[in-house]
Amino acid sequence: MKDGKKSVSEIGKNDPVNKCRAALRQGPGKMECVTITKPELIEGKVLIRVLHVGICGSDIARVKDPDKKWDKVVLGHEAVGEVEEISKSASAGSLLKKGDRVAIIPLVPCRKCYFCLKGMHSSCKSYSFIGSRVNGALSDYLMVEPTNLLKLPEDDNIEKYTFLEPLTVALHAIYQTDIKFGKTAVVFGAGAIGLLLFQVLKNLANYEVIMVDIDKFKLGLARKLGSFHNVDLTNESLEEYIKENIDSAGVDTIFEVSGANEARTGAIQVSKPGGSIVLIGTSPKDTIFDAKTFELITRKELKLTGSWMSYSGPFPGREWETGIKILKNNLIDIDTLITQRYKLSSVSAAFKMILENDEKYCKVLINI
Ligand SMILES: [Zn+2]
Ligand SMILES: [Zn+2]
């Protein structure tokens, strides 16, 4: 293999102890399990033996990206593991000890800039990020600072905590709104984040939620999770559906996770006067509004809010505290969201399945 890396089948054959396995991109669209140098514990840090990693949409975008920088960094930021080794200063400054089960908090803010001091860590001017700017969790081992770890409660199911990070993204978006029991909401995009939003809104705040997508498989998952209102935009009008089944004036809150132009214009059209729209995540394409739709923002006095990552002050924020409790108390269904599981040694097959659309999927987990 190129660059002197060994394929997984060669591991264990006379390998020195300071080697471990990791998923590393071998050019756009090609992931492989290779051997890398095992991170050696340094002062102030904690060495984690990784157990489970969820594949995020952002990981998939990085694997596809023509930029060669993604060949040099280990991806993966939705992860849980076990403390393998802890440096003296890290153990003095935290309550962590060897054997603790932990979830990874991927953002590494500078903690010094204006925005960090205000608790707006997602707007930090010089942040790092585990799994994109520094090596991430798709590996046997990961070395991080103790502030990037959250100790998990006693629980037989550790795997479900891989959903902590995506759940905090959903919670951060909900915290952007004026949340009150029994409101109406639309969620555009029934992927993992959309289905987490749906469950939190319905199960914890008694919202009447309309799930919207163009993918029958995803809407099927929503139905399986107990969603009653599911609109397939390929053959239904959301405006008509809401008028007939919810409220002729529109809905209170709209969460836009799909990134699609139709969803963003649709959000403005179906929002009640005075309603709020939360836009979540990246914009892969241009968003174009016609004059009439755009004017609805002013006429209806809509509140448009962005939601970026999942942090608040004090770091990492209430999203993480709440997320842990929701998972610990099994208030949402995680099993239905996990559609495939692969071993790290089969990571190339996992990404091949995803990139070539061989199977329908929601969340793909890699078990290390
Ligand atoms: Zn993610
Ligand atoms: Zn900062």
Side-chain angles (χ1 to χ4, degrees), residues 259-279:
N261 202 127
E262 299 75 11
R264 289 174 176 173
T265 51
I268 293 167
Q269 283 154 359
V270 301
S271 181
K272 242 183 206 173
S276 60
I277 299 171
V278 185
L279 305 166

Side-chain angles (χ1 to χ4, degrees), residues 15-34:
D15 270 337
V17 282
N18 63 345
K19 295 279 178 190
C20 72
R21 301 171 307 158
L24 207 56
R25 204 184 82 156
Q26 312 287 310
K30 207 163 175 288
M31 281 290 264
E32 268 188 44
C33 183
V34 299

Side-chain angles (χ1 to χ4, degrees), residues 109-117 120-121 123-127:
C110 79
R111 295 167 187 272
K112 286 182 278 211
C113 74
Y114 173 80
F115 295 105
C116 278
L117 294 177
M120 296 167 68
H121 301 100
S123 297
C124 174
K125 289 295 147 203
S126 51
Y127 69 92

Side-chain angles (χ1 to χ4, degrees), residues 56 58 77-78 165:
C56 174
S58 67
H77 58 269
E78 300 176 1
E165 196 268 351

Side-chain angles (χ1 to χ4, degrees), residues 104-169:
I104 308 296
I105 304 164
L107 182 71
V108 189
C110 79
R111 295 167 187 272
K112 286 182 278 211
C113 74
Y114 173 80
F115 295 105
C116 278
L117 294 177
K118 282 192 80 175
M120 296 167 68
H121 301 100
S122 307
S123 297
C124 174
K125 289 295 147 203
S126 51
Y127 69 92
S128 184
F129 198 89
I130 296 163
S132 71
R133 297 191 176 194
V134 292
N135 276 350
L138 281 170
S139 175
D140 287 317
Y141 293 99
L142 172 68
M143 191 168 60
V144 297
E145 288 180 29
T147 43
N148 287 100
L149 297 170
L150 212 54
K151 190 178 163 171
L152 298 177
E154 282 300 317
D155 202 320
D156 294 336
N157 180 353
I158 288 298
E159 188 188 69
K160 69 182 176 189
Y161 293 94
T162 52
F163 278 77
L164 178 59
E165 196 268 351
L167 177 58
T168 62
V169 171

